[in-house]
């Protein structure tokens, strides 16, 4: 498996403010966000590129785990 930390930064002149994790396996991809949000744009773009390069059409699954962060500053710890 390959673990890819994702940041929601979309503007190169600004910092992102949230982290999530993309787990890539041979047959599937999993996205985990400690706030329960969907995969950020950068993660979607990365997944499209990997699918095109590898010719694998594995599905993306959003992981919904019971332990969600309770504030806006601990996403790195939860991820």
């Amino acid at each position: 498996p390959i673990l890819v930390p994702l940041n929601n930064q979309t503007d190169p002149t600004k910092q992102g403010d949230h982290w999530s994790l993309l787990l890539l396996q041979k047959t599937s991809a999993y996205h985990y966000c400690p706030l329960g949000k969907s995969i950020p744009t950068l993660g979607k773009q990365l997944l499209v590129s990997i699918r095109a390069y590898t010719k694998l059409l594995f599905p993306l699954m959003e992981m919904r785990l019971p332990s969600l962060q309770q504030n806006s500053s601990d996403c790195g710890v939860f991820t």
Side-chain angles (χ1 to χ4, degrees), residues 20-51:
S20 61
L21 186 67
L22 183 63
L23 168 66
L24 300 171
Q25 295 183 317
K26 280 186 176 182
T27 58
S28 57
Y30 298 90
H31 176 249
Y32 170 66
C33 174
L35 288 177
K37 295 181 178 181
S38 61
I39 189 168
T41 302
L42 176 63
K44 289 178 187 175
Q45 292 169 343
L46 176 64
L47 200 52
V48 166
S49 296
I50 290 171
R51 285 174 175 158

Side-chain angles (χ1 to χ4, degrees), residues 2-71:
I2 299 172
L3 297 172
V4 182
L6 298 173
N7 187 269
N8 68 346
Q9 182 267 351
T10 56
D11 181 345
T13 63
K14 298 179 183 176
Q15 291 184 2
D17 62 0
H18 185 63
W19 288 93
S20 61
L21 186 67
L22 183 63
L23 168 66
L24 300 171
Q25 295 183 317
K26 280 186 176 182
T27 58
S28 57
Y30 298 90
H31 176 249
Y32 170 66
C33 174
L35 288 177
K37 295 181 178 181
S38 61
I39 189 168
T41 302
L42 176 63
K44 289 178 187 175
Q45 292 169 343
L46 176 64
L47 200 52
V48 166
S49 296
I50 290 171
R51 285 174 175 158
Y53 180 76
T54 62
K55 306 293 189 239
L56 297 174
L57 298 175
F58 45 80
L60 172 66
M61 296 175 217
E62 295 284 349
M63 296 174 63
R64 303 285 185 215
L65 301 177
S67 64
L68 296 177
Q69 76 185 65
Q70 301 299 312
N71 59 32

